[in-house]
Amino acid sequence: MKILGIDPGTVTSGFGVVEVVGHEIRYVDCGGICTPSGMDFPKRLKLIYEGLTGVIERHRPDAVAVESVFFAKNVQSALKLGHARGVALLAVINAGLPVSEYSPTEIKQAVVGFGLADKEQVLRMVMALLSLREAPRPLDASDALAIAICHIHSAKMKKTMSRVEAAAGKPVVVKDIRNRQKI
């Protein structure tokens, strides 16, 4: 099973492709779709769309995971990021692929085991999990790989929880003792 992770951005949209073989997660490809800063914004969105469409056609993933919107430093940045996410989601939906969205905290929790991990910790864990000798570039690509890894771990957890719930005959509530939140 191939998973495409997308870290949307207006300057660089990172992508990362991993494949699940047995119990192993293998690196396939990663990179960034970079748009020129002086280019009109609608044309930048078109480049992102075309770039992601090309990645999807080249790798033919089975599923796609995208980072969800979080807070931005200002409203203008949030709106532009929302546009980039919209274009990314459109490319995925037009390809007929299932898409899942994960918050930055969920991604860090799934990859590092700590929802407040910094970018360097995420990068190092991605390299370790995928047995990479060099750091993926651009940095947005390593984030995209983390998103794909998060999806794999989340899918495994959902499958396990479904089996547990089926055996118990009722929904199971898991509590995170450290954060005192229900998961």
Side-chain angles (χ1 to χ4, degrees), residues 51-71:
L52 289 174
T53 299
V55 169
I56 291 167
E57 288 172 0
R58 187 168 58 250
H59 291 291
R60 303 201 180 279
D62 299 295
V64 180
V66 180
E67 184 175 58
S68 63
V69 174
F70 57 108
F71 73 94

Side-chain angles (χ1 to χ4, degrees), residues 150-165:
C150 170
H151 179 72
I152 292 166
H153 289 182
S154 295
K156 287 179 183 176
M157 176 60 88
K158 286 177 187 172
K159 191 174 181 180
T160 300
M161 290 302 291
S162 293
R163 278 192 243 133
V164 169
E165 288 176 348

